[in-house]
Amino acid sequence: MKIAVVGATGMVGEIMLKVLEERNFPYTELILVASEKSVGKVIEFKGQKHTVVGLQTAVDMKADIALFSAGGQTSLDWAPKFAAAGTTVIDNSSAWRMDPTKKLVVPEINANQLTKEDKIIANPNCSTIQMVLALAPLHKKYNVKRVIVSTYQSITGTGVKAVQQFENEVAGVKGDMVYKYEINRNCIPQCDVFEPNGYTKEEMKLVKETKKILSDDSIKVTATAVRVPVVGGHSEAVNVEFSNDFDVNEVRTLLSQTDGVTVQDNLDTFTYPMPKYAEGKNDVFVGRIRRDESQENTLNMWIVADNLRKGAATNTIQIAEYLVANNLV
Ligand code: 2RA
């Protein structure tokens, strides 16, 4: 099993390597791939030294699986080349997510859609993954009609330069501004660029990807995505209206029985999810589960996950694990 990590020197790429090691992924050869400026760089991993190679070299090495986290344009340009060489690509960018010929996969929900023919598989957006993992069992039981989500997103979602801006602000040091405004002691109601409808790309990803992953275009979604000075993960306040009524305790039980979900919900002990404590973990954490008393058949919940793990690297590797376990590569 030859596996390539494309974007190996980036934030998500580094977490991918960590997760591959933690989960003891069954590879026999690891190929680290990055842009030309990083080619030749030696990265030590699991006691072995790996020399970073360029994209064409990696294509020619014919990996079985390539885990991409290298930006949308690189995915558009290179995923087809890897696929043509026989490699199955699992891509973290938004490039292929809404392509009707590509699968958009959260393994606990829809990995069973995958076949040997899927040579480019899309990993959903981080803020979508954590939300749909909690919604999926509830949709099955009570039928989701409408979702209103407000996100409180970690600066790691923007990348290492955003973390550097935050640290510079805290230290009182002048430096590059990734965001239009200071992020320290601030909330910026903009994640990614604005679209003509006044929503950001991040908000529209939540709208569109949710329908695709849950295979239900009737689900109405509206979103407000906010950047906050946090590094551990994304938090989301989710209000969901169902077709049918529910019992809050039954909701808690359903969620606690869902693979990949941990319920943290006890007001007596002030137990609820927080990004500081979700950081470095692979689960999606759900709490503040309560009925919306302003509208029938409607629930509020608070969802937190490490956006670099379940939101990106871990979900990608879980897709790869599924492919291997089901002889699809
Ligand atoms: C963000 N979800 O948080 C986007 C991309 N990682 O900025």
Side-chain angles (χ1 to χ4, degrees):
M1 170 56 63
K2 205 187 287 187
I3 190 164
V5 177
V6 179
T9 57
M11 233 178 183
V12 172
E14 288 177 1
I15 301 290
M16 279 179 179
L17 292 175
K18 268 188 191 172
V19 174
L20 284 171
E21 183 171 15
E22 288 168 6
R23 298 176 73 93
N24 198 22
F25 188 87
Y27 66 81
T28 52
E29 186 178 345
L30 177 68
I31 305 165
L32 302 186
V33 192
S35 61
E36 284 312 306
K37 70 176 177 13
S38 298
V39 169
K41 188 175 173 185
V42 177
I43 297 178
E44 183 152 346
F45 179 66
K46 290 178 73 173
Q48 281 200 323
K49 293 188 187 310
H50 298 269
T51 304
V52 175
V53 300
L55 285 154
Q56 188 55 57
T57 303
V59 169
D60 299 339
M61 293 174 79
K62 296 185 182 299
D64 298 288
I65 296 176
L67 309 177
F68 265 58
S69 181
Q73 196 54 54
T74 299
S75 292
L76 286 171
D77 295 343
W78 286 92
K81 292 173 181 170
F82 277 83
T87 301
T88 298
V89 173
I90 306 169
D91 175 41
N92 262 269
S93 82
S94 57
W96 304 99
R97 289 176 186 158
M98 299 317 293
D99 181 321
T101 68
K102 302 295 183 287
K103 308 277 172 59
L104 183 62
V105 178
V106 177
E108 297 88 340
I109 300 173
N110 61 352
N112 58 355
Q113 293 176 2
L114 291 169
T115 70
K116 274 182 179 289
E117 283 61 51
D118 293 306
K119 300 304 286 179
I120 298 176
I121 301 163
N123 195 66
N125 191 39
C126 41
S127 49
T128 304
I129 291 173
Q130 63 187 73
M131 184 173 81
V132 293
L133 193 56
L135 286 179
L138 306 182
H139 183 47
K140 199 170 179 180
K141 178 84 176 172
Y142 308 111
N143 191 62
V144 172
K145 284 175 67 179
R146 182 175 186 241
V147 180
I148 304 170
V149 53
S150 297
T151 73
Y152 308 79
Q153 299 188 212
S154 166
I155 52 177
T156 58
T158 311
V160 67
K161 289 180 179 174
V163 177
Q164 191 59 62
Q165 176 186 329
F166 170 66
E167 291 173 348
N168 288 342
E169 290 175 21
V170 170
V173 170
K174 275 281 176 214
D176 293 343
M177 291 286 281
V178 175
Y179 301 119
K180 188 165 178 55
Y181 303 102
E182 288 198 358
I183 184 64
N184 184 32
R185 303 188 330 178
N186 196 16
C187 291
I188 301 176
Q190 179 187 352
C191 295
D192 209 329
V193 298
F194 284 108
E195 302 205 347
N197 67 353
Y199 285 79
T200 59
K201 276 193 172 184
E202 188 77 5
E203 289 158 351
M204 293 315 297
K205 287 172 186 176
L206 281 156
V207 175
K208 295 174 184 172
E209 294 177 21
T210 298
K211 297 168 190 270
K212 183 168 180 179
I213 295 163
L214 296 181
S215 306
D216 188 338
D217 283 343
S218 75
I219 297 175
K220 297 173 184 172
V221 183
T222 191
T224 303
V226 180
R227 192 71 65 190
V228 294
V230 161
V231 292
H234 293 346
S235 305
E236 299 174 344
V238 178
N239 176 280
V240 50
E241 179 189 2
F242 301 108
S243 303
N244 309 308
D245 199 5
F246 57 86
D247 172 83
V248 173
N249 287 323
E250 186 180 64
V251 167
R252 277 196 198 92
T253 303
L254 266 177
L255 289 170
S256 60
Q257 291 170 345
T258 302
D259 284 347
V261 174
T262 295
V263 173
Q264 295 177 326
D265 194 30
N266 185 325
L267 303 188
D268 296 333
T269 57
F270 303 100
T271 302
Y272 34 69
M274 291 176 276
K276 188 172 184 61
Y277 308 108
E279 185 175 11
K281 300 185 177 73
N282 295 310
D283 265 15
V284 169
F285 299 89
V286 185
R288 297 298 320 278
I289 302 165
R290 63 203 191 280
R291 182 177 292 277
D292 175 351
E293 297 176 343
S294 70
Q295 178 175 281
E296 65 173 10
N297 302 342
T298 307
L299 182 81
N300 283 312
M301 52 185 170
W302 176 251
I303 303 170
V304 176
D306 183 330
N307 56 294
L308 297 179
R309 281 180 171 261
K310 184 56 182 174
T314 307
N315 197 72
T316 302
I317 290 162
Q318 287 172 325
I319 293 170
E321 288 170 346
Y322 182 90
L323 294 173
V324 172
N326 292 275
N327 302 310
L328 298 179
V329 288

